[in-house]
Amino acid sequence: MRVVIVTESFPPDVNGVAHCALQTARHLVDRGHHPLVVAPAPAPGTAPDTDAPCPVVRIPSLPLPGYPQVRVALPSRRLAAALVTHRPDVAHLASPFVLGARGMAVAARLGLPAVAVYQTDLAGYARTYMGAGEAAAWRRIRSVHAAADRTLAPSSAALGDLETHGVPRVRLWPRGVDTVRFRPDRRDEELRRELAPNGELIVGYVGRLAPEKHVELLAGVCALDGVRLVVVGDGPSHAHLTEALPGADFLGRRTGDDLARIFASLDVFAHTGPFETFCQTVQEAMASGVPVVAPAVGGPLDLVDHGRTGLLVPPRDAEAVQGAVRSLAEDPARRNAFGAAARTLVEGRTWAAVGDRLIGHYEDVLAGRRTAVAA
């Protein structure tokens, strides 16, 4: 099968859309298919795509004002030329909004079946960054996704939101996790001594440092006796958070085995973002055998089994986050039980398993097109 993956982000970007697009391309190659990736060009001077498993066509881009880590593709003939040259059987549109919307239009002109993967809560972002605009964001989402043969939602909450806002033909497709890279035996006692020289309990956050993540809700965790907060990631809120989270260790952006070592060396993983359609870092913490504290909204509702693998708390409630972390800090046996159960729960959620489910969605869409033509 020939597949074109049109994605709003791709490595070297570090985010959920980029990671999922990369894993999808890898799995397609592993299964003998022929993917092509079309993505915005990274910032000038960025290293080339040495780890890409397939050809990548880069579209000229500009940084998003106020958030230069995000690149927005400019109009370009390269997109249509790439689709025509690759001759795909199906178009995979990863979090389509700007480049993906153009990819959807090109696919429609060429008569290509399209599968759109919903990954970003754009309405929530509009509320965070502009204080309004949710209705306009949903109109854009509905317009783009309604043109797809199938929309794939990463969680039950996201699926419900899409259907509520009139997006048709929605199915559930979760995300995988690298259970070989992220595993409990990566725990590093030397690293733990560096991060917590007095034997403190280590609580970690991993993700973008941006307003929509509400990482400042972890301020109460910093105030707990015998607890050290570790923050991994980068973004426009970095300077603000260094003031809002006194005593926290900011480790910057980490990837690969280095990130896996940090995950496994935590005692508790805390996530604060209320706009997660899935939340990959929660799943990576669970694979690392670490109990999770997360908001009871969006993607974490599918991932965290409250009272068994972690604790779900009301969203945007700093006191609830602090209380959940305190309860786990005071009960080592409970932490260990949660961490072991978390690892067991995600062991079958490999990228290979969910990748095969994705190929099944492609095949369903192709069969539907053939049936429509025959009728």
Side-chain angles (χ1 to χ4, degrees):
M1 188 186 308
R2 302 182 69 82
V3 181
V4 61
I5 301 171
V6 182
T7 177
E8 303 290 340
S9 186
F10 197 69
D13 297 346
V14 179
N15 57 59
V17 174
H19 183 66
C20 184
L22 175 63
Q23 294 293 343
T24 296
R26 284 177 174 166
H27 184 71
L28 290 171
V29 170
D30 288 345
R31 291 291 188 260
H33 301 291
H34 304 282
L36 169 74
V37 170
V38 181
T46 303
D49 301 300
T50 54
D51 293 331
C54 65
V56 180
V57 173
R58 292 291 188 173
I59 306 299
S61 68
L62 290 175
L64 186 69
Y67 202 157
Q69 292 89 345
V70 176
R71 307 285 300 187
V72 179
L74 297 169
S76 173
R77 296 179 179 178
R78 293 183 190 178
L79 173 60
L83 268 69
V84 170
T85 301
H86 189 60
R87 296 177 290 106
D89 299 297
V90 63
H92 173 121
L93 307 167
S95 196
F97 193 68
V98 178
L99 182 60
R102 297 177 196 139
M104 187 80 76
V106 173
R109 288 202 304 271
L110 297 176
L112 289 175
V115 173
V117 180
Y118 176 73
Q119 290 181 251
T120 306
D121 183 358
L122 295 167
Y125 283 19
R127 183 164 63 251
T128 298
Y129 285 96
M130 298 182 289
E134 293 174 73
W138 273 114
R139 283 195 297 271
R140 175 71 168 181
I141 293 167
R142 186 165 52 247
S143 173
V144 173
H145 283 266
D149 293 72
R150 179 169 295 188
T151 286
L152 301 180
S155 64
S156 301
L159 188 149
D161 284 344
L162 290 165
E163 291 184 335
T164 297
H165 287 88
V167 176
R169 300 178 294 280
V170 184
R171 302 289 187 276
L172 183 65
W173 180 59
R175 302 294 175 266
V177 63
D178 187 342
T179 54
V180 174
R181 168 165 283 165
F182 296 98
R183 61 180 193 264
D185 65 7
R186 297 270 188 178
R187 191 174 180 90
D188 187 325
E189 293 302 328
E190 181 177 347
L191 174 62
R192 287 179 54 79
R193 286 191 292 271
E194 292 175 9
L195 296 175
N198 297 314
E200 299 96 332
L201 182 99
I202 303 175
V203 178
Y205 166 86
V206 178
R208 286 197 309 278
L209 307 185
E212 74 274 8
K213 300 297 184 180
H214 291 280
V215 186
E216 70 279 356
L217 294 173
L218 295 173
V221 174
C222 295
L224 292 173
D225 290 337
V227 171
R228 174 60 61 91
L229 178 65
V230 173
V231 178
V232 179
D234 198 5
S237 295
H238 181 271
H240 163 68
L241 290 171
T242 57
E243 296 181 4
L245 303 175
D249 278 341
F250 287 81
L251 303 186
R253 177 178 137 178
R254 302 295 183 94
T255 60
D257 290 345
D258 186 28
L259 178 60
R261 185 171 62 108
I262 294 170
F263 261 122
S265 299
L266 302 176
D267 295 300
V268 177
F269 178 76
H271 193 82
T272 51
F275 304 122
E276 302 298 325
T277 61
F278 185 75
C279 202
Q280 183 66 12
T281 54
V282 163
Q283 195 164 236
E284 289 169 349
M286 294 171 69
S288 303
V290 177
V292 171
V293 172
V297 66
L301 290 170
D302 282 358
L303 297 174
V304 180
D305 186 348
H306 180 73
R308 179 171 166 244
T309 65
L311 298 174
L312 293 169
V313 299
R316 307 190 209 193
D317 188 331
E319 289 186 8
V321 173
Q322 183 190 50
V325 171
R326 181 191 292 113
S327 70
L328 291 174
E330 294 172 348
D331 194 340
R334 193 182 190 203
R335 288 200 312 272
N336 291 336
F338 280 12
R343 171 67 189 189
T344 299
L345 190 65
V346 302
E347 281 181 336
R349 299 178 184 173
T350 65
W351 279 107
V354 300
D356 286 342
R357 290 175 63 177
L358 175 63
I359 292 170
H361 285 296
Y362 294 163
E363 292 171 343
D364 287 349
V365 164
L366 288 169
R369 281 291 186 105
R370 287 193 294 269
T371 300
V373 170

